[in-house]
CSV table of all heavy atoms in Angstrom, one decimal:
chain,number,residue,atom,x,y,z
A,1,ILE,N,-4.5,-9.4,12.5
A,1,ILE,CA,-4.7,-10.8,12.1
A,1,ILE,C,-5.5,-11.6,13.1
A,1,ILE,O,-6.5,-12.3,12.8
A,1,ILE,CB,-3.4,-11.5,11.8
A,1,ILE,CG1,-2.7,-10.9,10.6
A,1,ILE,CG2,-3.5,-13.0,11.7
A,1,ILE,CD1,-1.3,-11.3,10.4
A,2,GLU,N,-5.2,-11.3,14.4
A,2,GLU,CA,-5.9,-12.0,15.5
A,2,GLU,C,-7.3,-11.7,15.5
A,2,GLU,O,-8.2,-12.5,15.7
A,2,GLU,CB,-5.2,-11.7,16.8
A,2,GLU,CG,-5.8,-12.4,18.0
A,2,GLU,CD,-5.0,-12.2,19.3
A,2,GLU,OE1,-4.7,-11.0,19.6
A,2,GLU,OE2,-4.6,-13.2,19.9
A,3,SER,N,-7.6,-10.4,15.3
A,3,SER,CA,-9.0,-9.9,15.2
A,3,SER,C,-9.8,-10.6,14.1
A,3,SER,O,-10.9,-11.1,14.3
A,3,SER,CB,-9.1,-8.4,15.0
A,3,SER,OG,-10.4,-8.0,14.9
A,4,LEU,N,-9.2,-10.7,12.9
A,4,LEU,CA,-9.8,-11.4,11.8
A,4,LEU,C,-10.0,-12.9,12.0
A,4,LEU,O,-11.0,-13.4,11.6
A,4,LEU,CB,-9.0,-11.1,10.5
A,4,LEU,CG,-8.9,-9.6,10.1
A,4,LEU,CD1,-8.1,-9.4,8.9
A,4,LEU,CD2,-10.3,-9.0,9.8
A,5,VAL,N,-9.0,-13.5,12.6
A,5,VAL,CA,-9.1,-14.9,12.9
A,5,VAL,C,-10.3,-15.2,13.9
A,5,VAL,O,-11.1,-16.1,13.7
A,5,VAL,CB,-7.8,-15.5,13.5
A,5,VAL,CG1,-8.0,-16.9,14.1
A,5,VAL,CG2,-6.7,-15.5,12.4
A,6,ASN,N,-10.4,-14.3,14.9
A,6,ASN,CA,-11.5,-14.5,15.8
A,6,ASN,C,-12.8,-14.3,15.2
A,6,ASN,O,-13.8,-14.7,15.8
A,6,ASN,CB,-11.3,-13.5,17.0
A,6,ASN,CG,-10.1,-13.8,17.9
A,6,ASN,OD1,-9.6,-15.0,17.9
A,6,ASN,ND2,-9.5,-12.8,18.6
A,7,ARG,N,-12.9,-13.6,14.1
A,7,ARG,CA,-14.1,-13.3,13.4
A,7,ARG,C,-14.4,-14.5,12.4
A,7,ARG,O,-15.5,-14.4,11.7
A,7,ARG,CB,-14.1,-12.0,12.7
A,7,ARG,CG,-14.1,-10.8,13.6
A,7,ARG,CD,-14.2,-9.5,12.8
A,7,ARG,NE,-14.0,-8.3,13.7
A,7,ARG,CZ,-14.1,-7.1,13.3
A,7,ARG,NH1,-14.4,-6.8,12.0
A,7,ARG,NH2,-13.9,-6.1,14.1
A,8,GLY,N,-13.6,-15.4,12.4
A,8,GLY,CA,-13.8,-16.6,11.5
A,8,GLY,C,-13.3,-16.6,10.1
A,8,GLY,O,-13.6,-17.4,9.3
A,9,LEU,N,-12.3,-15.6,9.8
A,9,LEU,CA,-11.8,-15.6,8.5
A,9,LEU,C,-10.6,-16.6,8.4
A,9,LEU,O,-9.9,-16.9,9.3
A,9,LEU,CB,-11.2,-14.2,8.2
A,9,LEU,CG,-12.3,-13.2,7.6
A,9,LEU,CD1,-13.3,-12.9,8.6
A,9,LEU,CD2,-11.6,-12.0,7.1
A,10,TYR,N,-10.5,-17.1,7.1
A,10,TYR,CA,-9.4,-18.0,6.8
A,10,TYR,C,-8.2,-17.3,6.1
A,10,TYR,O,-8.4,-16.1,5.8
A,10,TYR,CB,-9.9,-19.1,6.0
A,10,TYR,CG,-10.9,-20.0,6.7
A,10,TYR,CD1,-12.3,-19.9,6.4
A,10,TYR,CD2,-10.5,-21.0,7.6
A,10,TYR,CE1,-13.2,-20.6,7.1
A,10,TYR,CE2,-11.4,-21.8,8.2
A,10,TYR,CZ,-12.8,-21.6,8.0
A,10,TYR,OH,-13.7,-22.4,8.6
A,11,GLU,N,-7.1,-18.0,5.9
A,11,GLU,CA,-5.9,-17.3,5.4
A,11,GLU,C,-6.2,-16.5,4.1
A,11,GLU,O,-5.7,-15.4,4.0
A,11,GLU,CB,-4.9,-18.4,5.1
A,11,GLU,CG,-3.6,-17.9,4.6
A,11,GLU,CD,-2.6,-19.0,4.2
A,11,GLU,OE1,-1.9,-19.5,5.1
A,11,GLU,OE2,-2.5,-19.3,3.0
A,12,THR,N,-6.9,-17.1,3.1
A,12,THR,CA,-7.1,-16.4,1.9
A,12,THR,C,-7.9,-15.1,2.1
A,12,THR,O,-7.6,-14.1,1.5
A,12,THR,CB,-7.9,-17.3,0.9
A,12,THR,OG1,-7.1,-18.5,0.6
A,12,THR,CG2,-8.1,-16.6,-0.4
A,13,ASP,N,-8.9,-15.2,2.9
A,13,ASP,CA,-9.7,-14.0,3.2
A,13,ASP,C,-8.9,-12.9,3.9
A,13,ASP,O,-9.0,-11.7,3.7
A,13,ASP,CB,-10.9,-14.4,4.0
A,13,ASP,CG,-11.8,-15.4,3.3
A,13,ASP,OD1,-11.9,-15.4,2.1
A,13,ASP,OD2,-12.3,-16.4,4.0
A,14,ILE,N,-8.1,-13.4,4.9
A,14,ILE,CA,-7.3,-12.4,5.6
A,14,ILE,C,-6.2,-11.7,4.7
A,14,ILE,O,-6.0,-10.5,4.8
A,14,ILE,CB,-6.5,-13.1,6.8
A,14,ILE,CG1,-7.5,-13.6,7.8
A,14,ILE,CG2,-5.5,-12.1,7.5
A,14,ILE,CD1,-6.9,-14.4,9.0
A,15,ALA,N,-5.7,-12.5,3.8
A,15,ALA,CA,-4.7,-11.9,2.9
A,15,ALA,C,-5.4,-10.9,2.0
A,15,ALA,O,-4.8,-9.8,1.7
A,15,ALA,CB,-4.1,-13.0,2.0
A,16,ALA,N,-6.6,-11.2,1.6
A,16,ALA,CA,-7.4,-10.2,0.8
A,16,ALA,C,-7.7,-9.0,1.5
A,16,ALA,O,-7.7,-7.9,1.0
A,16,ALA,CB,-8.7,-10.9,0.2
A,17,GLU,N,-8.1,-9.1,2.8
A,17,GLU,CA,-8.5,-8.0,3.6
A,17,GLU,C,-7.3,-7.1,4.0
A,17,GLU,O,-7.4,-5.9,4.0
A,17,GLU,CB,-9.2,-8.5,4.9
A,17,GLU,CG,-10.6,-8.9,4.8
A,17,GLU,CD,-11.5,-7.8,4.5
A,17,GLU,OE1,-11.3,-6.7,5.0
A,17,GLU,OE2,-12.5,-8.0,3.8
A,18,THR,N,-6.2,-7.7,4.2
A,18,THR,CA,-5.0,-6.9,4.7
A,18,THR,C,-4.1,-6.5,3.6
A,18,THR,O,-3.3,-5.6,3.7
A,18,THR,CB,-4.2,-7.7,5.7
A,18,THR,OG1,-3.7,-8.9,5.1
A,18,THR,CG2,-5.0,-8.1,7.0
A,19,GLY,N,-4.2,-7.2,2.4
A,19,GLY,CA,-3.2,-6.9,1.3
A,19,GLY,C,-1.9,-7.5,1.5
A,19,GLY,O,-1.0,-7.3,0.8
A,20,MET,N,-1.7,-8.4,2.5
A,20,MET,CA,-0.4,-9.1,2.8
A,20,MET,C,-0.2,-10.2,1.8
A,20,MET,O,-1.2,-10.9,1.4
A,20,MET,CB,-0.4,-9.6,4.2
A,20,MET,CG,-0.2,-8.6,5.3
A,20,MET,SD,0.0,-9.5,6.9
A,20,MET,CE,-0.5,-8.2,8.0
A,21,ARG,N,1.0,-10.5,1.4
A,21,ARG,CA,1.3,-11.7,0.7
A,21,ARG,C,1.1,-12.9,1.6
A,21,ARG,O,1.4,-12.7,2.8
A,21,ARG,CB,2.8,-11.6,0.2
A,21,ARG,CG,3.0,-10.5,-0.8
A,21,ARG,CD,4.5,-10.5,-1.3
A,21,ARG,NE,4.7,-9.5,-2.3
A,21,ARG,CZ,5.9,-9.3,-2.8
A,21,ARG,NH1,7.0,-10.0,-2.4
A,21,ARG,NH2,6.1,-8.3,-3.7
A,22,LYS,N,0.8,-14.0,1.1
A,22,LYS,CA,0.5,-15.2,1.9
A,22,LYS,C,1.7,-15.6,2.7
A,22,LYS,O,1.6,-16.0,3.8
A,22,LYS,CB,-0.1,-16.3,1.1
A,22,LYS,CG,-1.5,-16.1,0.6
A,22,LYS,CD,-2.1,-17.4,0.0
A,22,LYS,CE,-3.5,-17.2,-0.3
A,22,LYS,NZ,-4.1,-18.4,-0.9
A,23,GLN,N,2.9,-15.5,2.1
A,23,GLN,CA,4.1,-15.9,2.8
A,23,GLN,C,4.3,-15.0,4.0
A,23,GLN,O,4.7,-15.5,5.1
A,23,GLN,CB,5.3,-15.7,1.8
A,23,GLN,CG,6.6,-16.2,2.5
A,23,GLN,CD,7.8,-16.1,1.5
A,23,GLN,OE1,7.6,-15.6,0.4
A,23,GLN,NE2,9.0,-16.5,1.9
A,24,THR,N,4.1,-13.7,3.9
A,24,THR,CA,4.3,-12.7,5.0
A,24,THR,C,3.2,-13.0,6.0
A,24,THR,O,3.5,-13.0,7.2
A,24,THR,CB,4.1,-11.3,4.5
A,24,THR,OG1,5.2,-11.0,3.5
A,24,THR,CG2,4.3,-10.3,5.7
A,25,LEU,N,2.0,-13.3,5.6
A,25,LEU,CA,0.9,-13.5,6.5
A,25,LEU,C,1.1,-14.8,7.3
A,25,LEU,O,0.9,-14.8,8.5
A,25,LEU,CB,-0.4,-13.7,5.7
A,25,LEU,CG,-1.7,-14.1,6.5
A,25,LEU,CD1,-2.0,-13.1,7.5
A,25,LEU,CD2,-2.9,-14.3,5.5
A,26,ARG,N,1.6,-15.8,6.7
A,26,ARG,CA,1.9,-17.1,7.5
A,26,ARG,C,3.0,-16.8,8.6
A,26,ARG,O,2.9,-17.4,9.7
A,26,ARG,CB,2.4,-18.2,6.5
A,26,ARG,CG,1.2,-18.7,5.7
A,26,ARG,CD,1.7,-19.6,4.5
A,26,ARG,NE,0.6,-20.0,3.7
A,26,ARG,CZ,0.8,-20.4,2.4
A,26,ARG,NH1,2.0,-20.4,1.9
A,26,ARG,NH2,-0.3,-20.7,1.7
A,27,ARG,N,4.0,-16.0,8.2
A,27,ARG,CA,5.0,-15.7,9.2
A,27,ARG,C,4.4,-14.9,10.4
A,27,ARG,O,4.7,-15.1,11.5
A,27,ARG,CB,6.2,-14.9,8.6
A,27,ARG,CG,7.0,-15.8,7.6
A,27,ARG,CD,8.0,-15.0,6.9
A,27,ARG,NE,9.0,-14.4,7.7
A,27,ARG,CZ,10.0,-13.6,7.3
A,27,ARG,NH1,10.1,-13.3,6.0
A,27,ARG,NH2,10.9,-13.2,8.2
A,28,ARG,N,3.5,-13.9,10.0
A,28,ARG,CA,2.9,-13.1,11.1
A,28,ARG,C,2.0,-13.9,11.9
A,28,ARG,O,1.9,-13.7,13.1
A,28,ARG,CB,2.1,-12.0,10.4
A,28,ARG,CG,3.0,-10.9,9.7
A,28,ARG,CD,3.8,-10.1,10.7
A,28,ARG,NE,4.4,-9.0,10.1
A,28,ARG,CZ,5.7,-9.0,9.7
A,28,ARG,NH1,6.4,-10.1,9.9
A,28,ARG,NH2,6.2,-7.9,9.2
A,29,MET,N,1.3,-14.9,11.3
A,29,MET,CA,0.3,-15.7,12.1
A,29,MET,C,1.1,-16.6,13.1
A,29,MET,O,0.5,-16.9,14.2
A,29,MET,CB,-0.5,-16.6,11.1
A,29,MET,CG,-1.5,-15.8,10.3
A,29,MET,SD,-2.5,-16.9,9.3
A,29,MET,CE,-3.7,-17.5,10.5
A,30,LYS,N,2.3,-17.0,12.8
A,30,LYS,CA,3.1,-17.7,13.8
A,30,LYS,C,3.4,-16.9,15.1
A,30,LYS,O,3.5,-17.4,16.2
A,30,LYS,CB,4.4,-18.2,13.2
A,30,LYS,CG,4.2,-19.3,12.1
A,30,LYS,CD,5.5,-19.7,11.5
A,30,LYS,CE,5.3,-20.8,10.4
A,30,LYS,NZ,6.5,-21.1,9.7
A,31,LEU,N,3.4,-15.5,14.9
A,31,LEU,CA,3.7,-14.6,16.0
A,31,LEU,C,2.5,-14.6,17.0
A,31,LEU,O,2.7,-14.1,18.1
A,31,LEU,CB,4.0,-13.2,15.5
A,31,LEU,CG,5.3,-13.1,14.7
A,31,LEU,CD1,5.4,-11.6,14.2
A,31,LEU,CD2,6.5,-13.4,15.5
A,32,LEU,N,1.4,-15.1,16.6
A,32,LEU,CA,0.2,-15.2,17.5
A,32,LEU,C,0.6,-16.1,18.7
A,32,LEU,O,-0.1,-16.0,19.7
A,32,LEU,CB,-1.0,-15.7,16.8
A,32,LEU,CG,-1.6,-14.8,15.7
A,32,LEU,CD1,-2.7,-15.6,15.0
A,32,LEU,CD2,-2.1,-13.5,16.3
A,33,ASN,N,1.6,-17.0,18.6
A,33,ASN,CA,2.0,-17.9,19.7
A,33,ASN,C,2.8,-17.1,20.7
A,33,ASN,O,3.2,-17.7,21.8
A,33,ASN,CB,2.8,-19.0,19.1
A,33,ASN,CG,1.9,-19.9,18.2
A,33,ASN,OD1,0.7,-20.1,18.5
A,33,ASN,ND2,2.5,-20.5,17.2
A,34,LEU,N,3.2,-15.9,20.5
A,34,LEU,CA,4.0,-15.2,21.5
A,34,LEU,C,3.1,-14.9,22.7
A,34,LEU,O,2.0,-14.6,22.7
A,34,LEU,CB,4.4,-13.8,20.9
A,34,LEU,CG,5.5,-13.8,19.9
A,34,LEU,CD1,5.8,-12.4,19.3
A,34,LEU,CD2,6.8,-14.4,20.4
A,35,THR,N,3.8,-15.0,23.9
A,35,THR,CA,3.1,-14.7,25.1
A,35,THR,C,2.9,-13.1,25.2
A,35,THR,O,3.7,-12.4,24.5
A,35,THR,CB,4.0,-15.1,26.4
A,35,THR,OG1,5.2,-14.4,26.3
A,35,THR,CG2,4.2,-16.6,26.4
A,36,PRO,N,2.0,-12.6,26.0
A,36,PRO,CA,1.7,-11.2,26.0
A,36,PRO,C,3.0,-10.3,26.3
A,36,PRO,O,3.1,-9.3,25.7
A,36,PRO,CB,0.6,-11.1,27.1
A,36,PRO,CG,-0.1,-12.4,27.0
A,36,PRO,CD,0.9,-13.4,26.7
């Protein structure tokens, strides 16, 4: 998801590329806030 976001994709496009449901995708995107 981070790679796709960095390439300029939006939620709808990322969901289409990964096959994730939007609800799951939104939960995963929040994990981007985790420290390394």
Side-chain angles (χ1 to χ4, degrees):
I1 291 168
E2 186 172 47
S3 174
L4 296 176
V5 168
N6 290 338
R7 293 185 186 185
L9 271 70
Y10 296 101
E11 181 184 280
T12 300
D13 303 320
I14 295 173
E17 282 290 328
T18 60
M20 289 185 198
R21 295 179 179 178
K22 285 190 176 181
Q23 183 178 3
T24 301
L25 175 59
R26 287 167 186 161
R27 291 174 64 182
R28 292 291 188 263
M29 289 185 77
K30 291 178 181 178
L31 294 176
L32 294 175
N33 294 325
L34 288 174
T35 59

